[in-house]
Amino acid sequence: LGIAAWDLIMWSNTMRLIVGLFMQLFLSLTCFAHTFSVYVSFSMPKQLLIETLQESVQLNIPVYLNGLHQDSMAKTVRKIMSLSQSVPNLNLQIDPTAFERYAITSVPALVVDNGHVFDVIYGNLSLKKGLERIVDQGVSGLSLEQLRGHYER
């Protein structure tokens, strides 16, 4: 092979290596993306429930219920519709498996999960303050930069 052909082969292999490294970096960053979730119950004081739901909408964090209100789909729908009047754009889901996954035992609860480990904060604390505590004291590796990026969405 001539020098020009050899240079072309080396350049091609170098580009493959660079693209491969970039893909690994991209995959590692996306695999460790943090997810946020909030856990509530209709048994919470109404004002606390509404404030928690409003802040979850502002921060674009999904909210989960453990089950149906009084074991009735109709009553649950009525409750959610009523809450939607006070909290437009409400993202409220029923998912008992999420409660089990994070061993949620009381509400309200805020969870930050990086796909490997997670943090849970319970109690009457604003979601923003809870996220800041997780940045300072949590094990999920949430950084202030990631938190700011989430706020800007």
Side-chain angles (χ1 to χ4, degrees), residues 96-122:
T97 62
F99 276 74
E100 291 173 14
R101 182 178 323 117
Y102 299 115
I104 303 299
T105 56
S106 63
V107 291
L110 169 65
V111 173
V112 175
D113 185 343
N114 73 5
H116 297 288
V117 294
F118 60 89
D119 294 299
V120 181
I121 289 191
Y122 295 99

Side-chain angles (χ1 to χ4, degrees), residues 22-36:
F22 176 76
M23 291 302 294
Q24 283 181 336
L25 176 64
F26 176 76
L27 289 174
S28 70
L29 290 175
T30 57
C31 289
F32 296 108
H34 289 81
T35 58
F36 305 91

Side-chain angles (χ1 to χ4, degrees), residues 54-61 127-128 131 150-151:
Q54 287 172 336
E55 191 175 10
S56 72
V57 168
Q58 291 170 352
L59 298 175
N60 196 27
I61 300 176
L127 298 179
K128 240 180 176 174
L131 290 168
H150 181 80
Y151 289 160

Side-chain angles (χ1 to χ4, degrees), residues 36-107:
F36 305 91
S37 51
V38 175
Y39 298 82
V40 299
S41 169
F42 291 127
S43 65
M44 291 169 52
K46 187 173 182 174
Q47 190 58 38
L48 176 59
L49 177 60
I50 289 173
E51 289 171 2
T52 303
L53 295 175
Q54 287 172 336
E55 191 175 10
S56 72
V57 168
Q58 291 170 352
L59 298 175
N60 196 27
I61 300 176
V63 182
Y64 296 92
L65 289 167
N66 196 16
L68 300 175
H69 179 61
Q70 298 177 350
D71 292 323
S72 166
M73 181 59 90
K75 289 180 181 180
T76 303
V77 169
R78 281 195 292 275
K79 280 282 225 188
I80 292 172
M81 296 303 288
S82 173
L83 286 170
S84 295
Q85 300 297 315
S86 302
V87 187
N89 302 316
L90 180 60
N91 182 0
L92 185 62
Q93 302 167 43
I94 299 171
D95 188 354
T97 62
F99 276 74
E100 291 173 14
R101 182 178 323 117
Y102 299 115
I104 303 299
T105 56
S106 63
V107 291

